[in-house]
Amino acid sequence: MPDTVTATGVAALNGLAPARAREALAGCCASERWVTAMERARPYASAGAVLDHAEAAFDALADEDWLHAFAAHARIGAPRADDARGAAEQAGAGAASAEERAALETGNERYEAKFGHVFLIRASGLDAAHMLAALRERLENSPAQELALAARQQREITRLRLRALLAP
């Protein structure tokens, strides 16, 4: 999802009109149910309260909510041109060798064919070799194992994005 709304701090998030708050929150996690729970809980007393509520909202998500959130992500190694944040998070894949890029592309295709959603990993701070190794390892999971693992990765990505959104 492209970056379209930037809040700075809890007060800024609390002060956004509902539609703008939803847009800012959807940039952190695209699950409609999660966004609705987060928007309805405003105003927040602190950044900690936002993060605590995010965790509680995650706990209420069903499989289809997670899949909706995953669909907002680009493939690893192929960030969307209109998503500067996603590209920054995947910066480690930018230095991939031609062989690693080809292996990521093939791995992404195999993963999507097996699990029905994009391979999700908190890529921030990881290099292409690490992302590729994780992709290959996770291809051995069952669909249920992988859904749970991808959901944990979505939580981590969302926490990072919320912290950035709330940074003063």
Side-chain angles (χ1 to χ4, degrees):
M1 167 169 272
D3 296 328
T4 55
V5 175
T6 303
T8 304
V10 176
L13 177 61
N14 287 338
L16 291 173
R20 301 285 285 168
R22 291 182 68 74
E23 190 176 343
L25 291 163
C28 297
C29 178
S31 162
E32 182 64 28
R33 185 178 308 226
W34 184 88
V35 170
T36 297
M38 294 297 293
E39 198 277 322
R40 286 183 179 160
R42 293 183 317 141
Y44 292 101
S46 66
V50 174
L51 295 172
D52 288 346
H53 195 77
E55 289 302 316
F58 282 135
D59 291 342
L61 298 184
D63 291 353
E64 61 269 11
D65 300 312
W66 289 112
L67 294 172
H68 186 244
F70 303 163
H73 292 274
R75 280 183 169 177
I76 291 296
R80 294 181 182 112
D82 67 343
D83 186 6
R85 178 181 44 211
E89 290 170 351
Q90 290 193 36
S97 68
E99 293 82 20
E100 287 172 322
R101 280 192 299 278
L104 280 170
E105 184 175 336
T106 300
N108 279 322
E109 290 169 0
R110 288 184 52 221
Y111 183 97
E112 291 167 19
K114 180 174 182 177
F115 299 115
H117 59 83
V118 69
F119 170 66
L120 201 64
I121 188 168
R122 185 205 38 80
S124 187
L126 302 180
D127 63 16
H130 187 279
M131 291 180 227
L132 183 56
L135 174 57
R136 287 175 172 154
E137 180 179 314
R138 287 172 53 189
L139 277 165
E140 301 303 317
N141 290 338
S142 71
Q145 289 171 314
E146 189 52 33
L147 181 65
L149 227 168
R152 283 195 298 276
Q153 293 297 306
Q154 177 66 63
R155 283 179 185 241
E156 288 186 31
I157 293 163
T158 302
R159 279 189 220 103
L160 286 173
R161 290 178 175 188
L162 278 171
R163 285 186 182 105
L165 185 73
L166 299 171

